Amino acid sequence: MQKRVLFITTVDSPVIRGDCDFLRQQGFVVQYLFYKGGNIRNIIIAQLYEFFWLWRYIWRSCLIFIWFVDLHALWPVLLGKVLFRKKIIIMVGGYDAAQEFSLRYGAHLKHHKTLVIRLCCRLADKVFGVSRFTRDQINRYIGKKAEELLLAIYLPEITDLSVRKVYNWDVAMVCGGYSLQTLFRKGGDFFVKISKYIPDRKFLLIGLEGEARRWVEERRPENLTVTGKVSHVEVCNLLSRSKVACQFSRYEAFGLAIGEAMAMGCIPVGLNYGGTPEVIGDAGFLIDKLEVQDALQAVEKALNAPDSLREKARRRIRTLFSPEVREAKLREVLRELGIRRG
């Protein structure tokens, strides 16, 4: 009989689907639960559903794999570890490790969530941060338990990745979101500001909706194009037609967007904070503060950089953040936990 893995997440993304597919490829039966919270009523419904879902499937499972740690991790950890002695892996993202008062961002702004996160992580067999930065952030609350397990960057097939090609945009940035809070945290407001200083360059801001897009549309210069939410394939297509990509996030757990841009051949420019510098490394340009002149100098350097730096950025992503690298680490983790292939 095939072994069962319970896989629980609150977000759907290529990285999370990649982990789920990896477990299936190892021969496990993956029982998938997408936990959708929200207001108090929805949280109560989600908690009840999760509780009965666990009782149905936990008996024959060998592992509980939880993406992010919040209220949705509480029942799986309590039932799985305390009652049934199951192995538990928790992947910590950004929000669940953060306490950013100035940005009004992070689970640890609320004391009861810190208690839940600390309990879940201390009972889990393995806790991983998506970057060294995230690992260090979560370890402030749970002790030195979390390890680093870098994200993989999953890319769709893009036909033209040649270095010498026609570019539609000079500078691009992915800043998906609806709220002004997200726009500000991702540095979209700063991107709009610097675009005004280089009117002869074409700027592209990808993925805005709602009040965030309205705010930008009211302030954007003529040389800045804004798109709404687009598919992952279209995001990568747009990035592949851009020379430079920016990541000016005031808080970024990993830097997935800038990593995808690098894989698409963009030369990266980013803020030297959070997970962003771990992704960019020596294959791009970093600024220490969100100062306009510093950013303009870095963008100009990137625009005038040789194509060899573009290829270096691609190579860095292929070498350090490929699905194969992450899958090899996950195999090692399963061996450490004594979990054999299904």
Side-chain angles (χ1 to χ4, degrees):
M1 181 179 293
Q2 286 182 296
K3 296 179 181 179
R4 187 188 304 274
V5 173
L6 304 188
F7 193 99
I8 303 166
T9 181
T10 58
V11 174
D12 179 43
S13 75
V15 175
I16 294 171
R17 289 195 297 271
D19 285 351
C20 197
D21 290 342
F22 163 78
L23 291 168
R24 290 193 178 102
Q25 291 165 10
Q26 300 305 299
F28 297 104
V29 174
V30 177
Q31 205 69 45
Y32 180 92
L33 174 66
F34 183 83
Y35 180 102
K36 190 174 182 179
N39 57 36
I40 296 296
R41 177 178 176 274
N42 289 343
I43 290 174
I44 292 173
I45 293 172
Q47 286 282 302
L48 288 172
Y49 181 86
E50 183 183 40
F51 178 83
F52 289 108
W53 180 86
L54 285 164
W55 271 106
R56 180 179 179 183
Y57 294 113
I58 201 170
W59 306 88
R60 295 179 180 176
S61 67
C62 62
L63 172 68
I64 303 176
F65 195 110
I66 307 170
W67 252 103
F68 310 109
V69 53
D70 206 326
L71 291 175
H72 69 283
L74 190 56
W75 278 127
V77 169
L78 290 178
L79 291 178
K81 179 53 65 177
V82 177
L83 195 58
F84 289 94
R85 303 296 181 185
K86 302 296 183 180
K87 300 295 184 181
I88 296 176
I89 296 173
I90 291 178
M91 297 289 176
V92 179
Y95 178 82
D96 37 351
Q99 187 186 48
E100 297 289 327
F101 290 101
S102 62
L103 300 175
R104 293 181 296 161
Y105 179 77
H108 298 280
L109 296 178
K110 299 178 180 179
H111 183 62
H112 72 278
K113 288 200 172 186
T114 298
L115 295 177
V116 169
I117 291 168
R118 182 180 292 132
L119 174 65
C120 291
C121 288
R122 287 183 174 177
L123 289 176
D125 294 278
K126 289 285 187 179
V127 180
F128 294 102
V130 297
S131 63
R132 291 188 295 274
F133 171 76
T134 305
R135 175 201 64 193
D136 295 342
Q137 290 274 296
I138 193 64
N139 277 339
R140 295 186 304 171
Y141 303 102
I142 68 171
K144 294 183 179 180
K145 180 173 183 176
E147 305 170 54
E148 168 196 344
L149 203 167
L150 298 178
L151 292 183
I153 294 177
Y154 292 82
L155 300 168
E157 291 294 329
I158 304 296
T159 55
D160 183 11
L161 288 180
S162 59
V163 171
R164 299 188 182 279
K165 58 185 176 183
V166 176
Y167 293 100
N168 295 343
W169 293 278
D170 295 298
V171 188
M173 179 175 174
V174 179
C175 185
Y178 292 80
S179 68
L180 291 178
Q181 180 185 359
T182 300
L183 177 72
F184 184 76
R185 177 169 54 84
K186 292 288 186 179
D189 60 313
F190 186 72
F191 187 77
V192 173
K193 181 185 291 187
I194 66 168
S195 69
K196 297 177 180 179
Y197 286 84
I198 321 178
D200 58 330
R201 296 290 192 176
K202 294 180 180 179
F203 284 70
L204 175 66
L205 190 54
I206 303 170
L208 292 182
E209 298 283 347
E211 64 176 355
R213 182 166 186 176
R214 289 193 295 272
W215 188 94
V216 172
E217 291 286 3
E218 291 171 0
R219 293 163 176 80
R220 71 174 181 87
E222 289 295 321
N223 63 319
L224 173 60
T225 300
V226 183
T227 79
K229 184 178 180 180
V230 295
S231 69
H232 186 223
V233 172
E234 183 59 19
V235 169
C236 291
N237 266 313
L238 292 170
L239 290 172
S240 73
R241 295 294 177 180
S242 305
K243 293 180 180 178
V244 172
C246 296
Q247 180 103 63
F248 294 131
S249 299
R250 294 173 172 91
Y251 186 95
E252 191 68 47
F254 175 72
L256 190 60
I258 199 67
E260 290 181 346
M262 292 165 67
M264 290 296 103
C266 296
I267 295 176
V269 175
L271 180 64
N272 190 18
Y273 179 69
T276 301
E278 296 181 40
V279 178
I280 293 177
D282 61 352
F285 301 91
L286 294 167
I287 59 174
D288 292 325
K289 296 181 180 179
L290 291 182
E291 298 287 348
V292 171
Q293 288 304 316
D294 292 346
L296 292 176
Q297 289 176 13
V299 167
E300 283 297 334
K301 287 179 181 178
L303 287 169
N304 295 312
D307 285 338
S308 58
L309 185 58
R310 202 176 304 280
E311 184 53 40
K312 184 177 183 180
R314 281 201 197 114
R315 188 167 57 249
R316 179 176 175 82
I317 299 304
R318 288 197 303 266
T319 303
L320 298 180
F321 306 108
S322 69
E324 291 77 17
V325 171
R326 182 173 175 85
E327 289 169 5
K329 177 64 176 178
L330 286 173
R331 287 191 194 93
E332 181 183 326
V333 171
L334 293 177
R335 284 196 298 269
E336 289 178 9
L337 294 177
I339 299 174
R340 297 180 180 178
R341 292 167 63 100

